[in-house]
């Protein structure tokens, strides 16, 4: 249950949190937190998405939320405190939320304001939604206190610059790095690994001549770049097979990339569709064509279940389709996965290295 949001003095945050909790005494609620969750969000179309994300996180993981909302044109510094309750009946868990609305010119004051409200001896997770390519002194100040920083590439205007900035962060930051879009592709990566886990199948994958990835371009969703998950997935495949990027172009609204490998060139097509029942950027299907015996692999998301259907065929045969579990991460739950099961590692870094070589601005 969300409480009302009266503006309070910044110096009174702790006392106001105590008042909120005191008002809940006798309601069979347990005050609990596993970590402090800080969000840095700029005012805009995605604001409501991040507000809903907070509710998703709290419903799965009790935590104290510090929600920093930045207004580029504003000059004020305001705060309020609210509470969220997870669970039902006699097992309700009470969580606290501190909201700070700040004008961009006053951002240097934020570290000193949030430091007293970090829960002692518990980890701090930071969701940084601003493009890391836009050098931020605030990020450098907050980074030392964070256990893990999670980036969201949807904020970027240039995916190539984004990848280079995150790669730099991987070597410079003391904390771990996470990526919401990378986490969201984990289900498809697991399916591809299962299909091509034999020497024969992997040999076929090495002889790939064309890949076509269909993704959901949901209109009016607030997402600025629904192609990012598809871009990540194709770059991960390219990194695993040591393909070298050559060209990128936009053809009839779809992205066409080409890669060089020892035997021949590979063409990758990223094509958009609109499916209202799935979140923006969701991978809908993947087609992989191999020059080895004209093999063709078709991966397709089941519209209602957490499964991927796989159809294999050659010029001479067509096998019966089969299905594999497709780990489906609901929109907003990527951060829950990153907290419990960090997915960034060598594969993530090498995927970013491929992305960093591609001038995405040439194909907006």
């Amino acid at each position: 249950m969300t409480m009302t949001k009266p503006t309070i003095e910044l110096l009174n945050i702790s006392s106001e949190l105590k008042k909120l909790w005191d008002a809940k005494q006798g309601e069979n609620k347990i005050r609990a937190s596993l970590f402090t969750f800080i969000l840095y969000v700029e005012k805009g179309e995605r604001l409501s998405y991040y507000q809903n994300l907070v509710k998703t996180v709290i419903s799965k993981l009790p935590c104290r939320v510090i929600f920093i909302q930045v207004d580029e044109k504003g000059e004020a510094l305001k705060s309020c405190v609210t509470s969220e309750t997870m669970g039902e009946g006699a097992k309700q868990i009470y969580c606290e939320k501190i909201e700070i609305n700040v004008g961009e010119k006053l951002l240097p004051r934020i570290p000193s304001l949030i430091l007293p409200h970090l829960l002692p001896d518990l980890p701090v997770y930071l969701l940084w939604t601003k493009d890391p390519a836009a050098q931020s002194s605030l990020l450098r100040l907050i980074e030392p206190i964070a256990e893990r920083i999670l980036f969201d590439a949807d904020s970027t205007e240039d995916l190539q610059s984004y990848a280079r900035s995150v790669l730099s962060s991987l070597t410079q930051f003391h904390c771990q790095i996470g990526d919401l879009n990378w986490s969201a592709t984990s289900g498809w990566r697991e399916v591809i690994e299962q299909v091509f886990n034999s020497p024969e199948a992997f040999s076929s994958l090495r002889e790939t001549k064309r890949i076509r990835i269909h993704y959901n371009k949901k209109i009016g969703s607030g997402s600025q770049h629904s192609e990012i998950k598809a871009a990540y997935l194709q770059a991960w495949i390219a990194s695993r097979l040591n393909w070298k990027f050559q060209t990128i172009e936009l053809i009839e609204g779809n992205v066409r990339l080409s890669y060089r490998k020892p035997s021949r060139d590979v063409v990758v097509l990223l094509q958009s569709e609109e499916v209202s029942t799935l979140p923006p950027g969701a991978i809908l299907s993947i087609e992989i064509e191999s020059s080895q015996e004209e093999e063709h692999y078709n991966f397709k998301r089941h519209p209602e279940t957490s499964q991927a259907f796989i159809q294999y065929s050659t010029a001479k045969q067509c096998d019966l389709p089969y299905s594999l579990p497709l780990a489906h991460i609901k929109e907003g739950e990527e951060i829950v996965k990153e907290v419990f099961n960090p997915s960034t590692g060598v594969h993530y870094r090498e995927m970013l290295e491929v992305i960093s070589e591609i001038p995405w601005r040439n194909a907006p």
Side-chain angles (χ1 to χ4, degrees):
M1 179 185 301
T2 303
M3 305 297 291
T4 56
K5 300 181 179 181
T7 300
I8 63 171
E9 293 292 333
L10 293 165
L11 295 176
N12 296 335
I13 288 177
S14 294
S15 60
E16 291 297 326
L17 288 174
K18 185 177 184 302
K19 287 181 182 179
L20 279 181
W21 173 238
D22 288 343
K24 295 295 181 179
Q25 297 302 306
E27 295 186 12
N28 294 322
K29 291 181 172 63
I30 300 173
R31 192 182 193 183
S33 292
L34 296 173
F35 56 91
T36 301
F37 180 31
I38 303 174
L39 295 88
Y40 176 98
V41 178
E42 294 189 331
K43 188 176 181 180
E45 291 183 1
R46 292 275 282 177
L47 179 60
S48 61
Y49 166 79
Y50 293 118
Q51 289 172 334
N52 290 329
L53 183 145
V54 168
K55 295 180 180 179
T56 300
V57 171
I58 289 178
S59 70
K60 302 290 184 180
L61 305 169
C63 60
R64 172 177 285 185
V65 175
I66 300 178
F67 195 100
I68 305 169
Q69 180 182 332
V70 182
D71 186 350
E72 291 184 357
K73 299 180 180 179
E75 297 182 357
L77 182 57
K78 302 177 182 178
S79 67
C80 64
V81 295
T82 60
S83 66
E84 296 279 349
T85 301
M86 60 180 291
E88 298 178 356
K91 296 183 178 180
Q92 297 184 45
I93 297 179
Y94 173 93
C95 301
E96 300 163 331
K97 180 180 175 184
I98 302 168
E99 297 185 38
I100 299 175
N101 294 275
V102 57
E104 192 168 32
K105 293 180 180 180
L106 298 175
L107 281 177
R109 295 182 58 185
I110 291 299
S112 61
L113 291 175
I114 65 174
L115 195 60
H117 306 296
L118 304 180
L119 295 171
D121 302 320
L122 290 177
V124 175
Y125 295 95
L126 168 64
L127 174 57
W128 186 266
T129 67
K130 185 177 181 179
D131 188 350
Q135 298 296 321
S136 171
S137 58
L138 178 60
L139 178 59
R140 290 193 296 272
L141 290 171
I142 297 181
E143 180 268 327
I145 65 175
E147 177 86 8
R148 190 170 179 81
I149 295 178
L150 308 174
F151 290 119
D152 182 3
D154 192 81
S155 62
T156 187
E157 296 298 327
D158 182 359
L159 194 55
Q160 183 180 38
S161 296
Y162 171 89
R164 291 175 176 175
S165 297
V166 176
L167 283 169
S168 176
S169 298
L170 285 170
T171 58
Q172 295 180 13
F173 284 3
H174 298 88
C175 64
Q176 296 178 320
I177 300 296
D179 189 310
L180 299 189
N181 286 281
W182 173 252
S183 181
T185 65
S186 60
W188 281 107
R189 286 184 276 118
E190 290 168 4
V191 167
I192 292 172
E193 287 175 342
Q194 290 180 65
V195 171
F196 296 104
N197 67 348
S198 69
E200 296 78 12
F202 187 70
S203 175
S204 175
L205 183 62
R206 291 182 66 88
E207 295 305 317
T208 296
K209 62 180 181 181
R210 183 178 293 106
I211 296 177
R212 184 178 286 106
I213 300 177
H214 293 261
Y215 65 93
N216 188 25
K217 189 173 184 179
K218 191 174 179 180
I219 305 300
S221 62
S223 176
Q224 302 178 64
H225 304 288
S226 53
E227 75 282 357
I228 289 175
K229 295 178 184 66
Y232 273 21
L233 192 59
Q234 63 85 31
W236 171 70
I237 296 173
S239 69
R240 294 299 89 208
L241 298 171
N242 294 316
W243 296 345
K244 304 302 179 185
F245 168 75
Q246 285 192 298
T247 63
I248 181 173
E249 55 186 329
L250 194 67
I251 301 177
E252 297 181 352
N254 299 311
V255 177
R256 182 186 186 278
L257 302 105
S258 65
Y259 291 90
R260 165 66 69 180
K261 63 178 184 176
S263 57
R264 62 180 301 154
D265 289 352
V266 181
V267 173
V268 177
L269 301 172
L270 307 183
Q271 299 181 313
S272 63
E273 299 179 22
E274 185 177 354
V275 180
S276 61
T277 56
L278 291 173
I283 305 298
L284 306 175
S285 65
I286 306 166
E287 298 174 47
I288 300 177
E289 298 177 35
S290 174
S291 58
Q292 180 174 289
E293 299 183 8
E294 298 184 32
E295 291 176 302
H296 185 275
Y297 296 84
N298 190 356
F299 302 75
K300 191 171 183 179
R301 175 195 293 270
H302 191 284
E304 298 178 357
T305 65
S306 298
Q307 290 180 309
F309 285 115
I310 297 94
Q311 175 77 62
Y312 169 79
S313 63
T314 69
K316 299 179 180 180
Q317 72 181 69
C318 182
D319 290 358
L320 290 172
Y322 63 97
S323 64
L324 289 174
L326 177 63
H328 177 54
I329 302 176
K330 295 180 181 179
E331 187 177 21
E333 291 190 359
E334 299 92 344
I335 191 168
V336 177
K337 177 178 173 60
E338 282 297 316
V339 169
F340 275 115
N341 300 294
S343 61
T344 49
V346 174
H347 283 214
Y348 176 64
R349 185 180 69 250
E350 293 181 352
M351 179 278 298
L352 285 179
E353 288 172 351
V354 172
I355 292 288
S356 70
E357 297 297 322
I358 303 174
W360 291 94
R361 280 186 177 274
N362 294 350

